[in-house]
């Protein structure tokens, strides 16, 4: 084996192990919520020593946020696919936004885990970039159809995209907390009302 | 001491101890985030045995949500006071909404802790009612001025109040996660834009 081939193999092995740790972390979070996510619990679930986990993630915050980055990637893909199945820009925007609610419904552990981004400090540069990239992917699944549907551009478009994303986050939180149903509303109906009132250029 | 006086004294003591436990829980959450909140950590902080804490709260979920209920009460008071200082209904609505952002800025531990409401099941009836009451108080600090400013009533008013609350939650999350500043926006500017576009009756 040449040095280059050996290096490639080491890199593939590291990648495989990192993914196995993230998969274990997902199972821990699914089963016990974000509070159950500790390096020790993830290592036990993955069948590694805790020290092995630390060689991939600097700590539990970093691991939690890497898992959220992965979840955001899945979310962006689902939203993009939903938009692509729709027949026009307004329908694509509505489909992507509805899919954001649908994909996160009944997934409180990962929604709550994502809240960890609010306390994330001193993330490794690679991970911070990965999160930013995934967030932009999610926003763009809304942004493309929103620009096409409304004719908005530049700052005006950004403002509506971010406001819509904020609304989706808040609707998910209120809905999952049982605070919409009690008042006779659904996240979907409030979303539909907002989409119907989007400004146009 | 009569039986009634003894009972009153026991009840006051229980109330005092419950408050001391919640104050200890607040310090634990402030210092270490919601992940640090365990019955053991709160008991140690309060200077009680873990068993004593369990005689007030059925478990850590219940304790966490009692703390969130208290925080929601503080938030409603701050929002109401901000609205009362304003000079007209539109200004009162803006003041209450801005205060919601301001009061939660830099308070990521408690904002994240509130996320626990998304996984809360089988809460004691009293606690569930307390949370519902506090949520309604917060919504009403927006609702009163919103109705007065827009002339909306009934379902149409509820819809705007809930949508505004959802927007505020999402803006707080996006902002605290560093995802607004990077794009040149502030939560306050997005809120102002939304308030300027509220429908009227």
């Amino acid at each position: 084996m040449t040095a280059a081939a050996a290096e490639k193999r080491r890199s593939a092995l590291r990648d495989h192990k990192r993914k196995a740790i993230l998969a274990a972390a997902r199972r821990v979070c699914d089963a016990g919520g974000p509070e159950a996510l500790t390096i020790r619990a993830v290592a036990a679930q993955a069948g590694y020593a805790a020290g092995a986990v630390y060689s991939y993630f600097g700590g539990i915050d970093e691991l939690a946020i890497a898992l959220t980055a992965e979840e955001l990637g899945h979310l962006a893909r689902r939203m993009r696919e939903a938009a692509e199945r729709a027949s026009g820009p307004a329908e694509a925007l509505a489909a992507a936004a509805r899919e954001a609610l649908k994909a996160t419904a009944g997934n409180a552990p990962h929604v709550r885990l994502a809240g960890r981004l609010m306390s994330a400090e001193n993330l490794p540069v690679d991970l911070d970039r990965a999160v930013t990239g995934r967030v932009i992917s999610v926003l763009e699944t809304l942004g493309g159809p929103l620009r096409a549907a409304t004719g908005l551009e530049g700052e005006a478009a950004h403002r509506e995209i971010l406001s819509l994303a904020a609304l989706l986050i808040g609707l998910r939180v209120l809905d999952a907390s049982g605070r919409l149903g009690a008042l006779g509303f659904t996240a979907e109906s409030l979303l539909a009302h907002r989409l119907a009132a989007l400004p146009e250029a």
Side-chain angles (χ1 to χ4, degrees), chain A:
Chain A
M1 199 156 60
T2 64
E7 172 54 30
K8 195 173 164 188
R9 192 171 155 179
R10 264 194 302 274
S11 168
L13 185 63
R14 267 194 78 79
D15 201 44
H16 173 80
K17 277 201 172 182
R18 187 175 186 281
K19 279 183 185 151
I21 293 169
L22 282 174
R26 168 169 294 108
R27 292 192 297 275
V28 169
C29 183
D30 285 345
E35 292 78 22
L37 206 65
T38 62
I39 292 286
R40 178 188 284 221
V42 173
Q45 175 67 235
Y48 293 144
V53 176
Y54 279 112
S55 88
Y56 291 87
F57 299 96
I60 193 63
D61 274 337
E62 207 178 308
L63 175 51
I65 286 168
L67 183 52
T68 288
E70 225 184 45
E71 287 288 307
L72 286 170
H74 296 319
L75 178 62
R77 185 173 47 72
R78 285 186 59 161
M79 291 170 70
R80 194 164 47 241
E81 287 171 2
E84 284 167 2
R85 284 192 298 272
S87 57
E91 293 77 9
L93 176 60
R98 277 198 308 264
E99 184 63 29
L101 292 177
K102 197 176 150 195
T104 52
N107 194 6
H110 287 281
V111 174
R112 290 170 58 211
L113 189 69
R116 209 130 170 172
L117 287 170
M118 284 189 270
S119 311
E121 280 168 20
N122 305 317
L123 286 185
V125 175
D126 282 5
L127 181 55
D128 194 51
R129 275 198 201 126
V131 172
T132 301
R134 301 295 193 289
V135 169
I136 290 174
S137 296
V138 170
L139 293 175
E140 270 313 300
T141 64
L142 301 170
L146 185 140
R147 287 190 192 88
T150 62
L152 294 172
E153 289 292 342
E155 189 181 317
H158 276 147
R159 186 187 293 129
E160 295 302 328
I161 296 163
L162 286 170
S163 293
L164 182 55
L167 179 70
L168 289 168
I169 292 169
L171 287 176
R172 169 47 55 236
V173 170
L174 280 176
D175 191 28
S177 305
R179 307 295 147 185
L180 293 182
L183 291 160
F185 288 92
T186 63
E188 289 71 20
S189 69
L190 291 171
L191 169 64
H193 188 78
R194 179 78 188 95
L195 289 175
L198 273 184
E200 304 208 354

